[in-house]
Amino acid sequence: MRAYWELAKSSFRRHSTYRTAAVAGAFTNSVFGLIRASLLLSAITTAGGAIGGYSAMEAATYVWLGQALLAPLGLFGNTELAGRVKSGDIAVDLSRSVNLTASYWAQDLGRAAFDVLPRGLPPLIVGALVTGLAMPGTPGPYLLGFVSILAAISLNFLGFFAINLLSFWVLEIRGFWMLYMVLMNLLSGFLVPVTWFPDWLFDFARATPFPSMLQTPVDILAGRTDGAESLAMVCLQFLWLAVLLVVVQVMVRFGSRKLVVQGG
Amino acid sequence: MASPRTTSPRATRDPNTPVTNLVLLKLLVSARLRSQLAYRGSFLSDVAGQVLLGLTEFVELYAIVHNVSTFGGMTLAQTLLVFGLASVAFALGDLLLGETDSMSETIRSGKLEVLLVRPLPVLLQLATSDFQLRRVGRLIFALAALAAALLLTDIDWDPAKMVLAIITPIAGAAIFCALFLGAGAMQFWILDGRQFANAFTYGGRYVASMPGAALFFPIQIFFTFVIPATLVAYAPSLVILGLDGPAGIPAWTGWLGLPAAVVLGGLMLLLWRAAIKKYTGAGG
């Protein structure tokens, strides 16, 4: 366990050295937040009140929380593992005395811990100044929201990890990566809340783990759902976590058997 | 008696004549294209991914518009026209200069030095050396969306509108090329600032494909007169559809696309040249 803690800590430090990148990310997330918020608010004004259960203030809060959590939740992922499979460095990873999945997971949690403040706070401040935020006044949503955020970080990590693991079988994962990104961006509710979707797409999105990766923590944090409902949503997140964990473990087991690293 | 060598077209070139830029360029592009087509399965999945990307970008717009009768003063078909024009422009810009978006990688990995020692302009090499054919998938979808929009909208065509409809995708592509160029040049100074540039390139694409009237007023002004994203598709669409624009994007701006592309392109080229001049190798 100690090893994973150290891995998470070193990953935190590693990411904390890229300060310019963090500032740039926060800036861009704020600009996108302004664009997204204005589009959703304009539609709500035209509709006269609310769309998909979101009033103007709630939609604005949804946008800003989403922009703030985007980086910490790891919605962009990385192709580090696939790169190591290509270069053969994966052999070093596999011969370490730590579990492959767990070591990358710990590093991702360390990254997320760093990203929260420098990348998360600026969009929230911009949002509070420009449109205002409707945040709950009781501690419940924040506590459950914290658990939900942890679950969502892990779900995003496992989803991207599974795509990376495909590199054990195929030469180039770019196509799969792209496919995954496109579906996840749309179905996680990152661009537009899933309840705004036409019915057929809403039903489809609900059958996937993607809403659990972004919309769930955002809705819980904003206090849109009551205690019992929030708890059920977190349970669903953990259910998906279990499913993805099994998928990833199976992939690691069979993939590492198939893996051939040339040279030594 | 014909030797097998003379049947090959390349062998007909006298090996003693100097290699011109054009020959080199053709060689680079065709080698690039062949290498991309070599792994057919991988290539097809890439193209499919690009088509799907275009499709989800539309669904993203549709998910908003289907809830309301008009979005930013436009019907669904009219927003499709904006989306189609913007997508064609972005797909073209991305195809030509999308590579400069990852300039910091090119600099870090030392690939830039390889490009600098070759006797061809760096920009030309960037545009061709990584000519990503898969990005054509995005263009195909964009053209389909544009065609559908032209069929579905009621447009009172006159010669001026036709001219505008033809120059708009070209001017739009030039605007995106200029934005990508600026993004690439900027990364010479701020190596970690790739995401900073994304606010203008991908943020610009996002703004360009949406009805500008739905934006906050300051955002309208910024993305029209500073970063000319609304001039790519929305402003010309206002003219073509005969609509009035919002306060920040009056309908007369519909004709500003081409001049904006020329001015922005010129400025970004200057910035790019300054960036290349500024570059000092790391001894690679």
Side-chain angles (χ1 to χ4, degrees), chain A residues 20-21 24-25 27-28 32 34-36 38-39 42-43 46-47 51 119 174-175 178-179 182 191 196-198 201, chain B residues 46 50 52-53 56 59-60 62-64 66-68 70-71 134 190 192 195-196 203 206-207 214-216 219:
Chain A
T20 324
F27 171 80
T28 300
F32 268 88
L34 283 170
I35 301 170
R36 288 182 55 208
S38 54
L39 293 175
S42 160
T46 313
I51 298 178
R119 292 186 191 241
R174 195 178 52 215
M178 179 96 189
L179 204 70
V182 162
L191 301 156
W196 284 42
F197 288 170
L201 193 61
Chain B
D46 277 351
Q50 291 282 330
L52 193 74
L53 178 68
T56 52
V59 172
E60 181 188 320
Y62 179 72
I64 300 177
H66 88 106
N67 286 301
V68 282
T70 61
F71 181 43
R134 67 196 150 91
I190 317 172
D192 278 332
Q195 283 196 27
F196 184 75
Y206 193 30
V207 167
L215 298 166
F216 294 143
I219 305 274

Side-chain angles (χ1 to χ4, degrees), chain B residues 172-185:
Chain B
I175 288 174
F176 279 122
C177 277
L179 288 177
F180 274 123
L181 196 57

Side-chain angles (χ1 to χ4, degrees), chain A residues 47-102:
Chain A
I51 298 178
Y54 287 82
S55 69
M57 195 52 135
E58 285 171 330
T61 309
Y62 181 88
V63 166
W64 293 112
L65 276 175
Q67 290 302 121
L69 287 176
L70 188 59
L73 292 182
L75 244 66
F76 295 125
N78 65 67
T79 50
E80 200 179 323
L81 184 83
R84 289 179 75 83
V85 172
K86 229 182 208 168
S87 67
D89 291 341
I90 187 72
V92 182
D93 291 346
L94 286 169
S95 57
R96 287 194 177 120
S97 58
V98 290
N99 179 286
L100 181 76
T101 312

Side-chain angles (χ1 to χ4, degrees), chain B residues 103-147:
Chain B
M103 205 58 218
S104 56
E105 267 314 300
T106 315
I107 296 170
R108 266 208 197 96
S109 64
K111 246 163 72 182
L112 183 66
E113 313 215 327
V114 180
L115 300 184
L116 282 170
V117 296
R118 286 191 195 141
L120 267 180
V122 175
L123 206 53
L124 213 58
Q125 292 184 66
L126 277 175
T128 55
S129 80
D130 221 13
F131 189 81
Q132 299 287 359
L133 200 59
R134 67 196 150 91
R135 289 183 173 141
V136 168
R138 198 168 188 160
L139 186 61
I140 294 169
F141 178 80
L143 286 170
L146 183 58

Side-chain angles (χ1 to χ4, degrees), chain A residues 248-259:
Chain A
V248 162
Q249 283 313 101
V250 169
M251 285 178 80
V252 169
R253 167 157 299 192
F254 287 95
S256 52
R257 267 189 218 158
K258 198 185 167 290
L259 177 76

Side-chain angles (χ1 to χ4, degrees), chain B residues 65-258:
Chain B
V65 184
H66 88 106
N67 286 301
V68 282
S69 52
T70 61
F71 181 43
M74 287 184 149
T75 64
L76 178 61
Q78 290 172 332
T79 58
L80 186 63
L81 180 66
V82 177
F83 175 84
L85 283 172
S87 299
V88 171
F90 184 80
L92 283 171
D94 192 36
L95 191 65
L96 286 174
L97 281 180
E99 210 46 45
T100 55
D101 182 41
S102 53
M103 205 58 218
S104 56
E105 267 314 300
T106 315
I107 296 170
R108 266 208 197 96
S109 64
K111 246 163 72 182
L112 183 66
E113 313 215 327
V114 180
L115 300 184
L116 282 170
V117 296
R118 286 191 195 141
L120 267 180
V122 175
L123 206 53
L124 213 58
Q125 292 184 66
L126 277 175
T128 55
S129 80
D130 221 13
F131 189 81
Q132 299 287 359
L133 200 59
R134 67 196 150 91
R135 289 183 173 141
V136 168
R138 198 168 188 160
L139 186 61
I140 294 169
F141 178 80
L143 286 170
L146 183 58
L150 289 174
L151 285 176
L152 292 172
T153 43
D154 218 4
I155 300 169
D156 195 10
W157 288 107
D158 61 40
K161 284 180 183 174
M162 277 184 188
V163 170
L164 187 62
I166 292 165
I167 60 172
T168 292
I170 300 162
I175 288 174
F176 279 122
C177 277
L179 288 177
F180 274 123
L181 196 57
M186 191 215 79
Q187 292 173 47
F188 281 80
W189 281 276
I190 317 172
L191 202 55
D192 278 332
R194 181 176 172 183
Q195 283 196 27
F196 184 75
N198 283 357
F200 308 110
T201 50
Y202 294 96
R205 181 207 69 75
Y206 193 30
V207 167
S209 59
M210 296 283 171
L215 298 166
F216 294 143
F217 180 70
I219 305 274
Q220 287 178 7
I221 297 287
F222 180 78
F223 276 106
T224 304
F225 297 102
V226 183
I227 303 289
T230 61
L231 302 183
V232 168
Y234 176 66
S237 298
L238 288 176
V239 176
I240 293 171
L241 295 166
L243 297 171
D244 291 326
I249 317 165
W252 53 263
T253 57
W255 291 95
L256 289 185
L258 199 57

